[in-house]
């Protein structure tokens, strides 16, 4: 037999939030409680440690993006003098950094 839903949660929302949630539930053709259960089932929460790791990862990816922009700017400015080997070496370094970040992402504390 399926678990009976006898518990209740109470939360405060603005009238606009309540109206928007009800409209979404109506558009989906489900009761509001079903919509909220489905949404919460898909929601990942973060531990403080996981959130800190994610912030660092985001910072590192932004740094890599800045490096790519600098390389592109340099290559466009100095197209006649661009040393393809040097540009490729920079791109390989960036590729390694991205791979390192991917491994870092895999090692992060589990988000719950």
């Amino acid at each position: 037999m399926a678990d009976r839903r006898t518990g209740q949660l109470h939360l405060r929302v603005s009238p606009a939030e309540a109206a928007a949630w009800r409209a979404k539930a109506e558009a989906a053709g489900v009761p509001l409680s079903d919509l909220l259960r489905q949404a919460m089932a898909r929601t990942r929460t973060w531990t403080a440690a996981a959130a800190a790791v994610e912030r660092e990862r985001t910072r590192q990816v932004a740094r890599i993006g800045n490096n790519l922009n600098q390389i592109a700017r340099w290559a466009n400015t100095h197209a006649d003098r661009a040393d393809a080997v040097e540009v490729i070496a920079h791109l390989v370094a960036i590729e390694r950094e991205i791979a390192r970040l991917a491994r870092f992402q895999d090692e992060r504390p589990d988000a719950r």
Side-chain angles (χ1 to χ4, degrees):
M1 179 172 193
D3 287 337
R4 292 194 55 200
R5 292 186 173 107
T6 57
Q8 292 185 1
L9 297 175
H10 300 276
L11 64 147
R12 290 186 176 96
V13 296
S14 70
E17 288 170 323
W21 291 4
R22 285 188 183 101
K24 285 182 181 185
E26 185 177 328
V30 297
L32 179 58
S33 59
D34 284 355
L35 180 72
L36 293 174
R37 275 193 299 276
Q38 291 168 15
M40 288 305 298
R42 290 188 308 267
T43 300
R44 289 180 66 186
T45 56
W46 297 79
T47 63
V53 168
E54 187 64 20
R55 279 191 301 275
E56 176 61 17
R57 183 169 90 50
T58 300
R59 190 182 72 75
Q60 293 291 333
V61 169
R63 208 178 109 232
I64 291 169
N66 288 335
N67 288 342
L68 284 173
N69 285 337
Q70 290 172 4
I71 292 169
R73 187 178 313 117
W74 180 87
N76 287 326
T77 301
H78 305 288
D80 56 332
R81 299 182 331 190
D83 180 355
V85 173
E86 185 177 352
V87 172
I88 289 170
H90 286 290
L91 292 174
V92 167
I94 291 169
E95 183 180 38
R96 284 186 191 128
E97 183 67 10
I98 290 170
R100 186 186 72 76
L101 285 174
R103 285 190 307 276
F104 181 68
Q105 170 69 13
D106 292 341
E107 295 166 1
R108 72 178 175 77
D110 254 352
R112 298 209 191 324

